[in-house]
Amino acid sequence: MKASAVAVAAAGLVAPGVVVDQYDNTAATAATTATASTTAVPRPIADWQHDRLASGVDLYQGRISGRPGADHWTVTVRAGGAHLATEQGAEALAERLRGAGFSARGERVEWPRGADRKGLVGVRVRVGEYAARNEAEAQRQALAAAGFDAVSEWTGADGVPGTGLAQVKVAIIDPKRYGGALKATYGMGVAGREKVSDMAVGDDALLGVNAGFFVMEGKDGVPGASAGIAAYDGELQSAATNGRIAAVLRGDGLRPEFKKLRTELRVGAAGASAIVDGVNRVPGLVRNCGGVGGDSPTERPQHDVTCTDPDEIVEFTDELGARTPAGDGVEAVLDASGRVREVRPRGGAVPAGGSVLAGVGEGASWLRTHAKPGSELKVRQRILDERGRELELGPQDDIVNGGPELVRDGKVAVNYGADGIERIGDPSFAYTWGIKRNPRMLLGVDRRGRVLLVAADGRQPGYSDGLGLAEGAELMKSLGAVRAMALDGGGSVTTVVNGKVINSPSDGTERAVGDALLLTR
């Protein structure tokens, strides 16, 4: 393919000087020309490679890039493991480096436009500029030998306007013209991880992408289970990270609703009730936090943090697809009517059509007192939006978690605090996870009511750095989005068309994930 480049300052992606590579593809050009009268193509991607996957489903592929030669390798020196320091801390670290014979510089990092924060995030301290990674690595080793904590980094990932490179795929789905559905699926079971490609092939899906955040390791909960709210076919399978954005897919799923949700769950017995802290997770472990009932260190959302609570009751559904987690405490096994079949130690099967309530600490004491074999327990579930209105789910409705929110009412609106991207006392996390460029999967709806699914590869210097959250928000806005949010990113980012992965996952191979969004035929 022959490539040319054009400035896209009007697209609002980053700063003037950023370019989009446009591909001269005869078949794609013919398809675009043939449908130009019926399909409104957003200007930033109008000349990208275009494929009509089905009536009402268009796929665009292209590249966003900064100024040629703007990026290089460098070495970032950390203090206490943090990539950013305060102004005073950065100057002290730079002085130490200079005293050890290294030429150090401080680089200010500001909150990006459209964020809920303004001003200085922190200062990164760096040594050198190098054309090759091995040169930066040699400097890193010299710094390590001198007692400094340092990492080699590619500046294309910094998120500085006019730099970087992103390979991007944009799927536009018109609900007025497409006869299929956009559905969420956990695959074979809520517990366990599966590849998007396998889930897509299993459902004969036209298109598939990774969906919400999920538990990666056993130390943080049930691997593969959602780390945030999740519902499939009208059934709640994971409680909310309270206040965090989520996408509600009603009916055919082609008109997503974006809501900040919380869940209220309680179990009732004769004359008594108790909080149910979660669904399908290890009692006492709250991945991404945002729970209820005195979680430590906070009940606020905190991304990639596992909060704890020694006194919990957690519900397990028969969609779990695995035995409940073993450990201290007790479990009440319920039949389909809520009648207690038995009380047992933790760790066992969930009966078909029934459920299990697992308790630890005070939660275990409550179950021992009130969950007598033959007695009846009723679990009440409420899903509430940010205005306190209850959200009712129909039998075909799904919910997938994610975050943060990117676009609201057609304007960039990245809320680092509400979505837990800004960690308490740790500005480096918001910088490395949100401000810096990473692989991203984005979901939005444009002014015409069309669904936008946008994937950006990343963490691959020279091929694709990805997008910062603010850049992702600007991109979605430029595509006409009136609402948009981020789904799970990083190594999870996967786009599958007709059963084949068409992007370049940053792990080097396709990652098994917790759930997926599938465009069924």
Side-chain angles (χ1 to χ4, degrees), residues 371-432:
K372 303 298 184 182
S375 65
E376 190 174 14
L377 299 181
K378 290 292 186 182
V379 177
R380 184 189 181 201
Q381 300 178 340
R382 299 180 72 211
I383 304 171
L384 305 172
D385 67 14
E386 56 193 302
R387 297 184 181 178
R389 298 172 299 191
E390 188 164 359
L391 187 150
E392 300 282 352
L393 291 179
Q396 294 181 306
D397 296 346
D398 303 325
I399 304 176
V400 294
N401 71 71
E405 181 178 30
L406 299 176
V407 177
R408 180 183 282 247
D409 298 328
K411 299 178 181 178
V412 171
V414 184
N415 194 321
Y416 286 80
D419 272 295
I421 308 305
E422 183 184 18
R423 284 187 185 170
I424 300 169
D426 180 14
S428 283
F429 183 77
Y431 162 66
T432 57

Side-chain angles (χ1 to χ4, degrees), residues 300-432:
R300 291 176 47 190
Q302 291 284 274
H303 189 70
D304 279 358
V305 172
T306 299
C307 284
T308 60
D309 186 346
D311 304 298
E312 286 198 324
I313 296 175
V314 170
E315 180 184 26
F316 291 93
T317 69
D318 66 347
E319 287 90 351
L320 181 66
R323 295 173 68 86
T324 62
D328 295 337
V330 299
E331 290 181 344
V333 182
L334 313 182
D335 65 17
S337 67
R339 194 164 300 278
V340 179
R341 292 170 48 171
E342 65 170 318
V343 178
R344 69 189 186 195
R346 283 181 52 212
V350 182
S355 62
V356 169
L357 293 174
V360 294
E362 292 180 6
S365 298
W366 192 94
L367 289 174
R368 288 190 184 101
T369 300
H370 300 286
K372 303 298 184 182
S375 65
E376 190 174 14
L377 299 181
K378 290 292 186 182
V379 177
R380 184 189 181 201
Q381 300 178 340
R382 299 180 72 211
I383 304 171
L384 305 172
D385 67 14
E386 56 193 302
R387 297 184 181 178
R389 298 172 299 191
E390 188 164 359
L391 187 150
E392 300 282 352
L393 291 179
Q396 294 181 306
D397 296 346
D398 303 325
I399 304 176
V400 294
N401 71 71
E405 181 178 30
L406 299 176
V407 177
R408 180 183 282 247
D409 298 328
K411 299 178 181 178
V412 171
V414 184
N415 194 321
Y416 286 80
D419 272 295
I421 308 305
E422 183 184 18
R423 284 187 185 170
I424 300 169
D426 180 14
S428 283
F429 183 77
Y431 162 66
T432 57

